[in-house]
Amino acid sequence: MPYESQISFTLDTICPWTYLAKKRLDEALRRFRESDQAKDVTFTVKYFPYQLYPGATKEGEDKYEWYKKSRYGNSEDKMKMYMALMTAYGKTAGISFKFHGTVGNTLDAHRVIQHFQETRGPETADKMISSLYSQFFENEQHPSTDETLLKAAADAGIPENEARYIIVEQRDEGMSTVRDLIREQNMNAVDSVPTVIFEGKRRDITLVGAKEVEEYEKALMSIVKESK
């Protein structure tokens, strides 16, 4: 029987570095699953919530201005450098970053992700998260309106009536759970995202920040080596 390892991926859907990290980890996992070592370990990614901007309103505000103000001291030059850097990094991972639109509170997005992760499994959550990232960063959509969340659910193969029930009709469903999970991440000393933890038989490997594909591959192979 192969060793089963959980990869805990803590994210916020408005963090460009977590989008980049997810793309790179996905590529590392794809390479691993095509290798001979895939018979020894099964990796499952489980997603955990974090909020970079918990004080954001549901209505939101201009994304470009928020990033410039909150991350780059209102400097237009630093913002331009950031955009050039992210555009270049994005191209290497198949991401076409755009920098306008609206940034808003992500709590509803996390609630919906966690609900469907628990009821439909990690693959469904993975597809939802990929859709949310693409909508926000590549199509300049709000991160957590009903329309955004319903599209993410559709992209993950969730029937519309089931998605609408959770997203629109039962807005409090799972809200206390997701708040507890966010507090739990803070208690576990997670203070930035992405934080990716590879669960090993002897030890865990924690990588903070967006690493290169090869570094994720190295972590995967370390887990395999120590599982024998």
Side-chain angles (χ1 to χ4, degrees):
M1 288 289 290
Y3 174 69
E4 296 183 0
S5 172
Q6 177 174 292
I7 301 173
S8 300
F9 192 112
T10 301
L11 66 114
D12 198 1
T13 57
I14 59 171
C15 173
W17 299 104
T18 57
Y19 191 13
L20 193 62
K22 183 182 184 306
K23 284 279 194 176
R24 291 174 174 176
L25 177 60
D26 286 348
E27 175 60 17
L29 286 167
R30 184 194 67 78
R31 295 179 188 179
F32 172 77
R33 286 163 181 160
E34 291 180 353
S35 72
D36 293 337
Q37 286 76 25
K39 67 181 183 300
D40 299 317
V41 176
T42 299
F43 289 101
T44 301
V45 182
K46 187 171 183 180
Y47 297 98
F48 292 88
Y50 186 89
Q51 283 197 288
L52 288 171
Y53 188 18
T57 64
K58 285 189 175 184
E59 295 76 18
E61 59 193 273
D62 184 271
K63 179 168 71 175
Y64 180 93
E65 292 298 327
W66 178 73
Y67 274 106
K68 185 177 73 170
K69 177 179 64 178
S70 66
R71 296 290 184 265
Y72 301 105
N74 247 353
S75 168
E76 199 71 44
D77 288 340
K78 289 181 180 179
M79 187 65 185
K80 287 178 180 177
M81 290 174 63
Y82 159 75
M83 290 192 295
L85 180 68
M86 293 311 299
T87 297
Y89 277 144
K91 284 182 179 178
T92 67
I95 301 170
S96 179
F97 279 111
K98 293 184 175 65
F99 303 94
H100 293 280
T102 302
V103 63
N105 197 292
T106 57
L107 193 61
D108 283 332
H110 286 304
R111 177 185 72 84
V112 173
I113 291 166
Q114 292 301 315
H115 172 85
F116 286 112
Q117 180 166 248
E118 292 304 315
T119 59
R120 285 183 161 265
E123 289 187 7
T124 297
D126 181 89
K127 291 174 182 176
M128 286 196 73
I129 289 166
S130 292
S131 175
L132 289 169
Y133 277 137
S134 180
Q135 288 187 72
F136 182 68
F137 284 111
E138 300 183 81
N139 296 282
E140 299 182 334
Q141 299 300 306
H142 189 289
S144 58
T145 60
D146 291 350
E147 291 75 16
T148 301
L149 297 175
L150 286 167
K151 178 170 174 23
D155 289 343
I158 300 168
E160 183 178 356
N161 61 337
E162 181 182 349
R164 187 169 291 279
Y165 179 75
I166 294 300
I167 293 168
V168 180
E169 298 176 26
Q170 296 292 318
R171 296 183 187 276
D172 291 332
E173 178 69 29
M175 188 61 81
S176 61
T177 298
V178 81
R179 290 184 189 276
D180 287 344
L181 284 169
I182 291 170
R183 280 194 291 268
E184 183 178 306
Q185 297 309 296
N186 290 327
M187 289 172 63
N188 290 339
V190 173
D191 58 7
S192 65
V193 286
T195 295
V196 186
I197 302 173
F198 299 78
E199 181 185 88
K201 185 175 284 187
R202 298 190 185 95
R203 65 186 177 108
D204 296 342
I205 298 172
T206 301
L207 298 178
V208 179
K211 305 303 183 184
E212 297 293 337
V213 173
E214 291 73 19
E215 194 161 349
Y216 291 124
E217 284 188 286
K218 182 179 177 182
L220 295 172
M221 294 310 301
S222 294
I223 298 299
V224 172
K225 183 178 179 181
E226 294 183 6
S227 71
K228 297 178 180 180

